[in-house]
Amino acid sequence: MKGGISSGDTVLSRIGRTERTGTFITERDGMAIVKLSSGYNIGLPRDHLSLLARSEAVPAPLISVAQDDSLPDLSIVSTGGTIASRIDYRTGAVTSQFDADDILRAIPGLRGIARFQARKLYTLLSENMTPAIWTELARAVFEEIKKGSTGVIVTHGTDTMAYSAAALSFMLDTPVPVVFVGSQRSADRPSSDNTQNALCSARAAVSDLGEVVVVMHATTSDDRCSIHRGTRVRKMHSSRRDAFQSIGVPPLGSIKYPSLEVTLSDHARRRREDEPCLKDGIDDHCALVCFHPGMKPTGLELYSGYRGIVIAGTGLGHVSSELVTAFRDLIEDGTVVVMTTQCLHGRVCDRVYDTGRDLIRAGVIEGEDMLPETALVKLMYVLGNTADRDEAVEMFRHELRGEYTRRSVNGL
Amino acid sequence: MDYEALGLVAGIEIHQQLNTREKMFCACPTLLRKFDERNGEFFRYLRATESELGEIDLAAKEEMKHERLFTYYTYDTTCLVEYDEEPPGPLNAEALEICCTIARMFSMTPVPQIHTMRKLVIDGSNTSGFQRTALVAFDGELPNAGTIETLCLEEEAAQRAEGHTFSLDRLGIPLVEITTSPCMRTPEEVEAMARYIGMALRSTGRVKRGLGTIRQDVNISIRDGARVEIKGVQELDLIAEVVRREVERQKNLLSLREELRERKGAVKSEPADVTRVFSKTGSSILKKAPCVLAVVLEGFGGLVGREIQPGRRLGSEFSDYAKKCGVGGIFHTDELPAYGITAEEVEKLRVSLSAGASDCIVLVAADPAKASCAARQVISRAEKALQGIPEETRRMLEDGSTAYMRPLPGAARMYPETDVFPITISDDWYGRLPLPELLSAKAERFSREMGLDPALASQIASSEQVFLFEQAAASGIPPLLAARTLLATLKELSRAGTDVSVISDEDIMAVLSAVRDGKAAKEAVPAMLDALAQGRTLDQALSTCAPSLSREELEKIIRKIVEERRSFVVSRGKGAVGPLMGVVMAEVRGSVDGKLVSEILSKEIARVLGK
Ligand SMILES: [Zn+2]
């Protein structure tokens, strides 16, 4: 409330010789923003406004949506990624929707796939995601599976979705699909990828899958979604719909749109009758360090006391000779150091060149063809589940959730 | 027709593309491409989003009647912004400057801070599902006490290639939208106003020209009628006719309503399934259709087939509404028996529905869902006929009649484009924007200062080459020569098969400058331009079309010609100058200024005569 006029009030705005009616929206950077009756917003000095009438709050009618009891149960756990939103054309405000009814109203096609229960865990921008929240998320998803959900959909902002998907992959041994989904174009726009992604993720969640996956657009067209393994997926474009790609392995499958026909590859883990298993320990005293020419050894002092470091090295997994000593010191102090490649594609091999051999002698672990981000999450996970360094290293070397492969297949 | 008595009120909305270097929200060129130059295609679905009350915009809903898949053509001159795969860049400063210049030309008041909005458009013409638009200025002045309400800067939509396929080259070209108040009272006034605004826009020299670069929408209503918006009138010559025909349509619909009221017309609220009536019909459309539905319109008999506008009937309106559901059209009993439907079948239909001769029955044939949707559309339009005239957006047909497109869009379909920062317009900057001279003022000046014939002056002022003409005149090239070259010579060359599109403004200036500098005669201009079009350099063109002749050489040639025709000269006296001019010019092949030839020729003839 400022100067007696508050958001939603009807105001008279004076511009030049004429006055126009509009709705006061807000004041920003010294300008009052008014939505004129034509629908246009304009900014003008605050003293050009006079109050005409107080706003009459129009509550949105709450229509609950009937669900089909004969369909399987799905849980939606939201962390902040929006698959549904609502525009208030009176004020122009866009609000995210997390309630099951709201989601079903926004994407009516979901009603034909399953019965939904929605659980709002967080509403955060995914760049604000933390390892501590991964733990909470893993617990929430675990509870939903224990309750008997046919599958769980996790809505997530796309920026760090791959990290969270990797974290849940390690923390949760799930017999049913846990599907991460988001949208690259906000849900308020008619062209949003939210509808296709949501429908495909729901279909994946009732499918024969039995692991943690990411389901997002496969191409720039609205033709299909890819199913990516949570430990092998990476956001490879800042803005495109098909930003998510499996690296080093083919996707686990795809879902055609709009037919929603699911195809699973042989290497996708299938749905099982086992009990789910949760190991939710995580140690966030870990870092991902991207090596670059000119990197100073002193910069690494920052990481002393860290339990784990993943290096995104150059090429086959290198850092400058000058840094090898610094990493050796960290390892001698008890830090686990893992080498991955900033090439993203391909395998680390520190036995080809001298610096590589020096790194191995210093105790650096080769991260195989693991993505740097996945290696980081895995390192946090193994260190979060044992206090013993050697045991952690032993766990790290094991393939746990398809996060690396021992064969590099051509064409990927 | 007495338009004043009918209470005609009209306003226009003019959309003019701006000739900026880059598009409105990306760095792509504002270049139109040929469809077969495309380098890819992709496809998308568009969905209307929920508004606050859980309702989508009426116009948007209409487009949603069948969810549609849209295909888009891409080019090496489009980027991810047009794909709706990347957020928009900042609003194009050049476009805003042109827009504000235009606003200032009409003495408009700029908006203190400009906010870009998203206007919901889900007909496929925008990949995002909205058009970005910003309100820039208010309250402009027009001749004859006309006024402009608003001036907006918008991004152009993608061009429809065919059906549901659009081409992305046009998407994002900046567009100025000028909306007048409903200040016009006759069709001729509407045309004059559209011409004036178009002329003013072209005066900036910074708008695109050619077909499709300017479009007029007309808002029309008469007393007791309804506001109808007619979209996309491209030819100005048709605009008055469009207004006349819309007035006629509204007038006829009003008298149709009176007649229906007298007849106590009514619409049956439920369609009836009459598939069985046509099970053995000779009409292939009805026979093939899985479902035939009938709508009974009581008291409408004879009125559905009555013409309300040249080539258009009430039945055409029903058909337009029905087509929104994906059916091909409708049949109605006013036009039956025909199309393979027999009189017996019509009779059987009337009996089965207990409809009398004064009733009209409309048939729709399709699969059950489409047929039901179409029948309901017909019912809704027929009910509106009892009320009067529905408010609509219509599209122009070739001859100036119109067809229904969608309901008038409501105001409630805009929300902020949060990816684009607002821009504050300072009064100081706005006040110092230079105002271009109006083309109409230019025409007067050309006539006054350069002595051009007023008709020629106005022709050159309204031509695309006006700015090149001014540049030529300012550099000392004789205005008449420049005007003739630009208006006539180029056209003649083109007609003779020369590809004049490859002749640049610089080429034209170089040729005219050569004439100005005495390096070539003005008679050599066509040949030189032709040579340049063939890829010759200016020097090559000069040496082949206008070999330079010294005065002495010229005198020698002329003397020889005159001597050879001595008896002719003697017999014709001074009158020999004219006929001999042609002979000399043919000999020197346009390399010499005709004036000089005439001067020397007169002298030589005088010499012969004086002997
Ligand atoms: Zn672009």
Side-chain angles (χ1 to χ4, degrees):
Chain A
M1 174 94 115
K2 199 156 188 183
I5 298 180
S6 44
S7 195
D9 287 352
T10 307
V11 289
L12 208 55
S13 13
R14 185 164 38 79
I15 297 160
R17 290 156 288 163
T18 48
E19 290 186 316
R20 274 153 224 272
T21 343
T23 307
F24 177 74
I25 307 296
T26 186
E27 195 165 331
R28 201 177 297 134
D29 305 327
M31 281 285 192
I33 300 168
V34 171
K35 190 177 181 67
L36 299 176
S37 47
S38 62
Y40 280 99
N41 281 16
I42 57 167
L44 70 172
R46 177 65 182 72
D47 55 10
H48 286 43
L49 295 188
S50 52
L51 180 67
L52 269 188
R54 289 283 172 207
S55 105
E56 282 171 53
V58 188
L62 290 174
I63 314 154
S64 68
V65 181
Q67 299 210 45
D68 184 346
D69 286 346
S70 67
L71 293 172
D73 283 305
L74 285 183
S75 308
I76 302 176
V77 178
S78 57
T79 64
T82 338
I83 57 166
S85 62
R86 186 196 290 254
I87 310 166
D88 179 346
Y89 286 106
R90 200 172 52 92
T91 59
V94 178
T95 44
S96 300
Q97 302 293 307
F98 300 105
D99 188 59
D101 280 350
D102 289 325
I103 293 171
L104 290 175
R105 257 202 310 278
I107 309 172
L110 287 171
R111 274 177 249 174
I113 300 174
R115 267 183 357 152
F116 291 88
Q117 284 230 312
R119 177 168 172 183
K120 184 166 85 176
L121 199 63
Y122 275 95
T123 49
L124 41 84
L125 297 168
S126 83
E127 54 270 35
N128 294 329
M129 182 56 74
T130 63
I133 300 176
W134 294 339
T135 301
E136 279 187 61
L137 178 60
R139 285 179 191 156
V141 171
F142 178 70
E143 281 165 23
E144 296 301 317
I145 300 169
K146 287 286 270 187
K147 272 197 280 183
S149 272
T150 305
V152 182
I153 295 170
V154 180
T155 68
H156 200 292
T158 55
D159 275 14
T160 64
M161 185 193 285
Y163 290 84
S164 298
L168 261 70
S169 298
F170 292 117
M171 294 161 111
L172 196 63
D173 191 358
T174 173
V176 302
V178 174
V179 183
F180 278 76
V181 69
S183 60
Q184 283 282 81
R185 294 278 88 70
S186 56
D188 55 84
R189 38 173 98 206
S191 63
S192 175
D193 50 340
N194 70 324
T195 304
Q196 180 185 320
N197 291 351
L199 290 170
C200 289
S201 68
R203 184 59 79 185
V206 297
S207 76
D208 198 31
L209 270 172
E211 60 178 304
V212 178
V213 297
V214 166
V215 168
M216 292 286 285
H217 258 66
T219 72
T220 193
S221 288
D222 288 344
D223 55 355
R224 63 197 154 90
C225 278
S226 287
I227 307 172
H228 304 280
R229 177 162 281 160
T231 53
R232 302 301 297 239
V233 66
R234 196 169 191 281
K235 186 176 184 181
M236 295 299 284
H237 196 279
S238 61
S239 61
R240 285 177 64 118
R241 286 165 173 73
D242 54 359
F244 284 83
Q245 284 174 26
S246 289
I247 307 291
V249 289
L252 299 178
S254 64
I255 302 129
K256 274 197 195 142
Y257 188 82
S259 72
L260 301 184
E261 185 189 320
V262 183
T263 311
L264 294 181
S265 73
D266 291 341
H267 67 286
R269 264 196 109 186
R270 296 303 202 267
R271 187 183 282 278
R272 299 173 302 283
E273 293 302 318
D274 325 354
E275 279 298 302
C277 173
L278 176 71
K279 277 196 203 162
D280 60 9
I282 198 109
D283 190 331
D284 64 0
H285 288 84
C286 291
L288 173 58
V289 177
C290 185
F291 168 73
H292 57 83
M295 185 180 249
K296 307 279 181 300
T298 47
L300 293 177
E301 287 166 14
L302 190 69
Y303 300 107
S304 94
Y306 270 55
R307 292 193 66 205
I309 289 178
V310 173
I311 310 168
T314 56
L316 286 166
H318 300 124
V319 295
S320 63
S321 315
E322 171 172 43
L323 283 189
V324 175
T325 328
F327 281 116
R328 182 186 299 127
D329 293 347
L330 282 168
I331 291 165
E332 279 170 6
D333 287 347
T335 307
V336 180
V337 178
V338 173
M339 178 61 76
T340 59
T341 172
Q342 52 189 249
C343 299
L344 305 177
H345 290 272
R347 188 177 303 275
V348 163
C349 182
D350 277 315
R351 285 146 288 146
V352 179
Y353 297 105
D354 279 346
T355 2
R357 289 189 277 265
D358 291 345
L359 282 164
I360 289 182
R361 267 193 291 276
V364 169
I365 302 164
E366 290 172 293
E368 300 289 343
D369 63 349
M370 234 183 294
L371 283 167
E373 299 84 0
T374 300
L376 172 73
V377 173
K378 185 178 183 185
L379 197 52
M380 287 181 174
Y381 167 75
V382 298
L383 292 169
N385 281 286
T386 174
D388 183 80
R389 186 187 179 282
D390 293 340
E391 196 185 335
V393 169
E394 190 50 33
M395 254 174 97
F396 188 89
R397 288 187 189 278
H398 266 86
E399 189 235 294
L400 302 173
R401 300 280 189 259
E403 68 277 14
Y404 71 85
T405 43
R406 293 182 50 231
R407 291 170 62 234
S408 306
V409 180
N410 185 31
L412 290 169
Chain B
M1 215 176 282
D2 186 349
Y3 292 102
E4 205 169 320
L6 286 168
L8 169 63
V9 174
I12 44 179
E13 210 174 90
I14 292 194
H15 300 91
Q16 165 75 64
Q17 291 176 4
L18 303 182
N19 195 20
T20 48
R21 214 165 51 79
E22 295 179 352
K23 285 187 176 176
M24 186 127 146
F25 294 107
C26 68
C28 290
T30 59
L31 207 65
L32 292 186
R33 305 294 300 272
K34 295 196 179 77
F35 295 150
D36 59 13
E37 290 171 344
R38 66 183 184 271
N39 63 5
E41 292 177 16
F42 64 90
F43 53 90
R44 301 264 172 76
Y45 295 90
L46 291 179
R47 292 159 207 93
T49 43
E50 256 195 320
S51 79
E52 186 191 25
L53 295 169
E55 266 182 42
I56 53 177
D57 176 68
L58 204 58
K61 212 180 222 164
E62 190 79 11
E63 297 296 344
M64 289 283 285
K65 282 229 157 77
H66 35 279
E67 192 182 49
R68 287 181 302 190
L69 182 65
F70 300 105
T71 303
Y72 297 97
Y73 290 166
T74 64
Y75 301 86
D76 55 7
T77 48
T78 56
C79 73
L80 289 188
V81 172
E82 290 99 322
Y83 279 59
D84 188 44
E85 285 281 42
E86 188 176 290
L91 192 142
N92 183 328
E94 186 189 7
L96 183 61
E97 192 213 312
I98 299 173
C99 220
C100 286
T101 301
I102 294 167
R104 217 164 97 70
M105 288 168 72
F106 293 114
S107 315
M108 300 185 79
T109 309
V111 165
Q113 191 185 46
I114 294 170
H115 287 248
T116 304
M117 306 297 291
R118 297 170 172 178
K119 179 156 77 177
L120 208 63
V121 179
I122 55 166
D123 63 0
S125 61
N126 286 72
T127 44
S128 56
F130 48 72
Q131 180 182 30
R132 298 187 183 92
T133 173
L135 177 57
V136 173
F138 290 113
D139 300 330
E141 291 165 10
L142 289 170
N144 298 325
T147 51
I148 294 174
E149 282 178 357
T150 54
L151 182 146
C152 296
L153 177 55
E154 303 191 327
E155 57 178 353
E156 176 69 287
Q159 187 169 0
R160 195 183 293 272
E162 54 172 335
H164 298 159
T165 301
F166 291 85
S167 176
L168 291 188
D169 51 341
R170 203 181 72 181
L171 178 64
I173 293 178
L175 199 70
V176 63
E177 184 209 65
I178 292 176
T179 308
T180 74
S181 54
C183 56
M184 288 149 254
R185 301 287 178 267
T186 66
E188 293 70 31
E189 246 183 274
V190 174
E191 181 180 335
M193 203 61 101
R195 284 193 189 280
Y196 177 82
I197 296 173
M199 181 277 295
L201 293 172
R202 287 189 295 278
S203 301
T204 59
R206 298 169 79 185
V207 301
K208 294 222 182 256
R209 307 199 45 158
L211 193 70
T213 56
I214 184 164
R215 298 190 295 277
Q216 281 86 204
D217 296 348
V218 195
N219 279 295
I220 305 164
S221 67
I222 60 171
R223 191 171 305 114
D224 300 326
R227 193 163 81 85
V228 164
E229 183 176 285
I230 297 166
K231 284 268 179 207
V233 184
Q234 292 200 6
E235 299 104 287
L236 276 177
D237 296 336
L238 266 176
I239 204 164
E241 182 63 16
V242 167
V243 178
R244 283 192 279 270
R245 290 196 183 190
E246 177 58 20
V247 171
E248 189 181 344
R249 194 184 71 95
Q250 296 204 9
K251 219 176 88 179
N252 287 333
L253 283 173
L254 286 175
S255 58
L256 221 136
R257 176 187 70 180
E258 292 320 306
E259 211 166 326
L260 280 170
R261 284 184 177 169
E262 274 167 33
R263 295 190 191 180
K264 304 219 171 356
V267 179
K268 282 241 174 96
S269 59
E270 283 299 320
D273 192 324
V274 293
T275 318
R276 287 180 55 195
V277 175
F278 296 99
S279 56
K280 293 192 180 73
T281 181
S283 154
S284 58
I285 296 175
L286 292 188
K287 196 165 184 177
K288 257 189 285 170
C291 173
V292 182
L293 294 183
V295 175
V296 179
L297 307 174
E298 292 168 5
F300 279 66
L303 299 182
V304 177
R306 184 186 288 177
E307 196 170 74
I308 52 173
Q309 208 182 30
R312 300 275 310 174
R313 288 144 226 288
L314 182 57
S316 329
E317 306 285 312
F318 291 169
S319 173
D320 291 342
Y321 272 69
K323 281 176 184 165
K324 292 285 157 190
C325 303
V327 302
I330 59 161
F331 295 109
H332 57 82
T333 48
D334 281 5
E335 54 174 8
L336 299 178
Y339 312 112
I341 302 168
T342 62
E344 291 71 45
E345 281 165 341
V346 174
E347 195 43 44
K348 210 166 129 194
L349 180 70
R350 285 198 190 275
V351 170
S352 75
L353 297 169
S354 14
S358 64
D359 303 333
C360 179
I361 302 165
V362 177
L363 298 174
V364 291
D367 63 62
K370 273 188 190 169
S372 158
C373 169
R376 271 167 219 295
Q377 284 280 92
V378 171
I379 289 170
S380 128
R381 180 63 187 84
E383 279 167 350
K384 284 176 187 151
L386 294 169
Q387 307 301 317
I389 298 157
E391 293 201 328
E392 291 170 340
T393 301
R394 301 179 65 85
R395 68 189 165 85
M396 199 190 83
L397 303 172
E398 266 173 24
D399 54 352
S401 289
T402 56
Y404 167 77
M405 251 174 109
R406 53 175 183 252
L408 274 191
R413 51 168 197 161
M414 272 202 239
Y415 68 110
E417 171 51 272
T418 39
D419 300 341
V420 177
F421 286 158
I423 298 170
T424 305
I425 301 292
S426 88
D427 289 342
D428 188 43
W429 174 80
Y430 183 75
R432 276 190 293 167
L433 286 171
L435 289 181
E437 181 185 22
L438 284 182
L439 296 178
S440 51
K442 273 192 206 302
E444 265 173 50
R445 181 165 60 81
F446 294 163
S447 166
R448 195 178 60 242
E449 289 178 2
M450 304 177 187
L452 291 185
D453 171 69
L456 182 65
S458 113
Q459 202 191 342
I460 190 78
S462 59
S463 79
E464 276 191 56
Q465 285 96 343
V466 57
F467 297 99
L468 184 57
F469 169 79
E470 282 193 292
Q471 189 194 339
S475 79
I477 291 161
L480 193 60
L481 171 68
R484 284 223 178 112
T485 306
L486 295 171
L487 295 177
T489 311
L490 287 171
K491 244 178 238 145
E492 285 156 11
L493 282 172
S494 171
R495 227 173 282 139
T498 305
D499 180 9
V500 293
S501 67
V502 301
I503 304 176
S504 68
D505 289 359
E506 288 71 31
D507 288 340
I508 297 172
M509 276 302 286
V511 167
L512 294 179
S513 303
V515 176
R516 174 198 62 201
D517 300 342
K519 289 189 207 147
K522 63 175 186 294
E523 287 76 6
V525 167
M528 287 176 66
L529 288 173
D530 184 55
L532 290 176
Q534 315 288 342
R536 308 272 153 68
T537 64
L538 180 68
D539 283 342
Q540 286 169 336
L542 274 170
S543 67
T544 51
C545 314
S548 37
L549 271 181
S550 67
R551 193 182 167 102
E552 288 78 52
E553 285 168 312
L554 182 62
E555 279 172 350
K556 231 161 98 191
I557 292 168
I558 293 178
R559 188 165 302 155
K560 185 162 165 273
I561 288 172
V562 170
E563 286 298 335
E564 281 167 6
R565 291 163 181 73
R566 185 172 262 278
S567 55
F568 176 73
V569 171
V570 171
S571 71
R572 296 291 286 268
K574 280 186 180 159
V577 176
L580 289 188
M581 264 304 279
V583 181
V584 178
M585 290 312 285
E587 180 83 23
V588 299
R589 283 187 301 141
S591 58
V592 192
D593 184 1
K595 231 198 240 159
L596 183 63
V597 173
S598 149
E599 181 201 318
I600 299 172
L601 193 56
S602 304
K603 216 184 276 169
E604 283 301 316
I605 289 172
R607 197 177 53 81
V608 168
L609 292 174
K611 262 189 183 167

